[in-house]
């Protein structure tokens, strides 16, 4: 990390600020929608529309970021965070909430949404030597997980404290939404401090351009996108907001306790991401992705089988302690198998595939949660589909650890 440029530290800083905002909102977001009078099915639909809107906006922004300017795209994304927060805080009219969900940038999962991650990955790959790329991505994800953890704790404590001094639950959650919007404004300011070094460099202008900003790497990017989309579809059943809601309904957990649970979970996730660089150096990127992800999926299936809050939280913590070890290798692998001028587009396309996959499942999860007989089904479906993803990923890419061994 001592070799990072000022731009690298700014990008780590924006990651910290943004993920704090996502964690801050995610723990209470579904609770807020419930206070507005939305039922479980409508909440699930709202979450799906939120992620679909993020995917649509991000697809255009990320695949054109290298031509429009990476800094400009990042600033616009921060503005969409502020826009979404303003509408959610100022109105309870369904049509306006839908507009905010579709156009704005809101993270119900506590994980990345919007154009930020693909563009920042591309910029970091450009300013960091390839030998240090996985390690830098590990620190980048560690920073994000710790920030999400702090945000989840802060959001839960703030809303609980406000309620204890007499503020209505609806208004306590609305305060969290307002703070989220203010953080979006801060992000916009930080992105303006980036230098031109983060902008794309283009090699040969004679290289033909295809759809989505890809040329020779198009085949491998589409394969990865299909697999990552399956993984994200599975993960959409257990986005952090829905899991927080599940814990509250199942065990009658208050917002502050929810914040503490997800603080611990995300701290463990961050540590697991940091360990990924050492594991990948020994066994390779693809094997690290698969062999660390499989056991976490079985632990996910076990969460709803636990009879009390203590055991459910313990299993969740063990699961999070290894759940993010696949993320830095996945990001480094994607950046390694594409041409430098395709990195924003490749990260964008694979990221959008994840966003689209994750956007479909919350609506289904909401239907499960509305039926007491199927209340634990989101965990079972998510874990099972993620196991399928791991097996397919290993079968497709186990023999390919770098660009020289991949048919682009």
């Amino acid at each position: 990390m001592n070799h990072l440029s000022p731009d690298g530290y700014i990008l780590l800083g924006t990651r910290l600020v943004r993920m704090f905002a996502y964690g801050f909102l995610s723990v209470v977001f579904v609770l807020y929608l419930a206070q507005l009078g939305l039922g479980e099915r409508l909440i699930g639909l709202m979450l799906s529309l939120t992620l679909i809107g993020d995917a649509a906006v991000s697809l255009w922004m990320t695949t054109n970021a290298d031509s429009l300017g990476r800094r400009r795209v990042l600033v616009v994304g921060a503005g969409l965070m502020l826009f979404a927060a303003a509408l959610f805080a100022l109105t309870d009219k369904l049509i306006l909430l839908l507009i905010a969900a579709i156009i704005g940038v809101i993270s119900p999962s506590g994980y990345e949404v919007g154009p930020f991650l693909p563009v920042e990955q591309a910029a970091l790959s450009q300013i960091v030597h390839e030998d240090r790329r996985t390690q830098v991505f590990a620190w980048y994800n560690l920073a994000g997980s710790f920030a999400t953890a702090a945000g989840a704790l802060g959001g839960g404590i703030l809303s609980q404290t406000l309620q204890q001094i007499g503020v209505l639950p609806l208004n306590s959650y609305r305060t969290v939404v307002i703070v989220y919007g203010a953080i979006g404004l801060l992000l916009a300011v930080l992105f303006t401090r980036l230098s031109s070094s983060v902008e794309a460099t283009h090699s040969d202008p004679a290289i033909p351009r295809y759809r989505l900003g890809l040329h020779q790497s198009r085949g491998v990017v589409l394969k990865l996108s299909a697999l990552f989309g399956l993984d994200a579809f599975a993960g959409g059943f257990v986005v952090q907001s829905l899991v927080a809601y599940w814990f509250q309904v199942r065990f009658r957990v208050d917002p502050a306790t929810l914040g503490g649970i997800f603080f611990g979970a995300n701290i463990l996730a961050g540590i697991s991401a940091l360990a990924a660089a050492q594991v990948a150096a020994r066994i390779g990127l693809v094997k690290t992705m698969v062999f660390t992800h499989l056991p976490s999926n079985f632990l996910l299936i076990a969460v709803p089988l636990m009879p009390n809050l203590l055991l459910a939280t313990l299993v969740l913590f063990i699961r999070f302690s290894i759940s993010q070890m696949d993320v830095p290798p996945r990001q480094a692998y994607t950046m390694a198998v594409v041409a430098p001028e395709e990195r924003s587009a490749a990260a964008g396309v694979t990221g959008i595939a994840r966003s689209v996959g994750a956007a479909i499942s919350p609506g289904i999860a909401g239907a499960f949660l509305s039926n007491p007989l199927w209340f634990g089904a989101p965990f079972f479906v998510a874990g099972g589909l993620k196991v399928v993803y791991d097996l397919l990923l290993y079968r497709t890419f186990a023999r390919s650890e770098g660009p020289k061994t991949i048919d682009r």
Side-chain angles (χ1 to χ4, degrees):
M1 298 302 293
N2 293 331
H3 298 276
L4 273 184
S5 67
D7 286 326
Y9 284 111
I10 291 174
L11 290 172
L12 281 179
T14 56
R15 169 79 167 177
L16 278 166
V17 171
R18 184 172 66 254
M19 297 307 292
F20 177 88
Y22 289 166
F24 192 72
L25 180 64
S26 66
V27 169
V28 304
F29 186 57
V30 170
L31 306 180
Y32 178 59
L33 295 179
Q35 285 292 318
L36 289 176
L38 279 65
E40 286 92 346
R41 290 178 182 271
L42 193 52
I43 287 173
L45 176 62
M46 180 71 72
L47 297 187
S48 289
L49 290 175
T50 297
L51 295 170
I52 289 172
D54 286 336
V57 172
S58 299
L59 177 61
W60 185 85
M61 293 176 70
T62 54
T63 54
N64 290 279
D66 290 353
S67 57
L68 295 174
R70 291 172 178 170
R71 289 173 294 180
R72 184 177 292 116
V73 166
L74 291 170
V75 170
V76 171
L80 292 176
M81 288 178 62
L82 176 59
F83 168 78
L87 277 186
F88 272 106
L90 294 175
T91 183
D92 59 358
K93 295 186 180 301
L94 182 59
I95 185 64
L96 294 178
L97 294 177
L98 290 173
I99 291 173
I102 294 170
I103 299 177
V105 173
I106 289 281
S107 174
S109 64
Y111 298 138
E112 281 282 11
V113 294
F116 306 108
L117 180 63
V119 178
E120 288 183 350
Q121 281 182 15
L124 281 171
S125 295
Q126 184 166 300
I127 62 178
V128 173
H129 192 273
E130 61 180 337
D131 292 341
R132 300 181 181 273
R133 192 175 293 148
T134 304
Q135 186 176 25
V136 169
F137 281 151
W139 280 101
Y140 177 82
N141 285 281
L142 175 71
S145 293
F146 278 23
T148 302
L153 183 64
I157 289 177
L158 175 60
S159 57
Q160 181 71 19
T161 301
L162 290 173
Q163 291 176 34
Q164 288 176 346
I165 62 174
V167 177
L168 293 175
L170 174 63
N171 291 330
S172 72
Y173 302 146
R174 180 175 283 125
T175 302
V176 173
V177 175
I178 293 171
V179 175
Y180 177 86
I183 294 175
L185 181 60
L186 172 61
L187 266 179
V189 174
L190 291 174
F191 284 132
T192 63
R193 307 301 298 171
L194 291 169
S195 75
S196 59
S197 298
V198 303
E199 300 293 356
T201 58
H202 300 280
S203 53
D204 185 359
I207 294 177
R209 290 294 188 267
Y210 295 89
R211 292 179 181 177
L212 306 178
L214 301 169
H215 41 92
Q216 70 259 37
S217 304
R218 186 165 178 249
V220 67
V221 170
L222 293 180
K223 290 179 183 178
L224 289 170
S225 297
L227 289 169
F228 294 166
L230 173 61
D231 180 44
F233 173 73
F237 284 93
V238 287
V239 295
Q240 190 160 287
S241 292
L242 290 176
V243 175
Y245 180 78
W246 184 87
F247 267 87
Q248 188 194 52
V249 174
R250 174 74 182 273
F251 300 114
R252 301 298 177 186
V253 184
D254 61 63
T257 303
L258 285 174
I261 290 172
F262 288 100
F263 172 81
N266 284 287
I267 288 291
L268 292 170
I271 295 172
S272 75
L274 187 60
Q278 285 71 37
V279 177
R282 292 174 177 270
I283 66 173
L285 296 173
V286 174
K287 290 180 180 178
T288 301
M289 284 188 270
V290 174
F291 295 164
T292 62
H293 205 227
L294 273 171
S296 76
N297 300 330
F298 292 112
L299 288 165
L300 180 63
I301 293 171
V303 170
L305 301 177
M306 297 299 104
N308 55 54
L309 175 62
L310 178 61
L311 289 176
T313 302
L314 179 62
V315 172
L316 189 73
F317 279 3
I318 298 172
R319 189 254 173 180
F320 268 84
S321 69
I322 56 175
S323 66
Q324 296 298 297
M325 289 184 70
D326 68 310
V327 177
R330 184 182 71 221
Q331 294 167 347
Y333 186 77
T334 303
M335 294 297 98
V337 298
V338 301
E341 68 273 13
E342 297 177 278
R343 283 174 178 157
S344 286
V349 170
T350 54
I352 296 308
R354 294 186 61 82
S355 296
V356 171
I360 301 170
S361 36
I364 306 173
F368 285 144
L369 293 175
S370 68
N371 187 334
L373 294 177
W374 296 94
F375 198 63
F379 294 90
F380 300 131
V381 175
L385 288 175
K386 281 178 172 290
V387 169
V388 173
Y389 154 76
D390 287 326
L391 297 177
L392 290 175
L393 179 68
Y394 187 78
R395 178 181 177 182
T396 306
F397 291 106
R399 298 180 181 178
S400 304
E401 284 294 336
K404 294 181 180 179
T405 61
I406 291 180
D407 180 10
R408 296 180 177 177

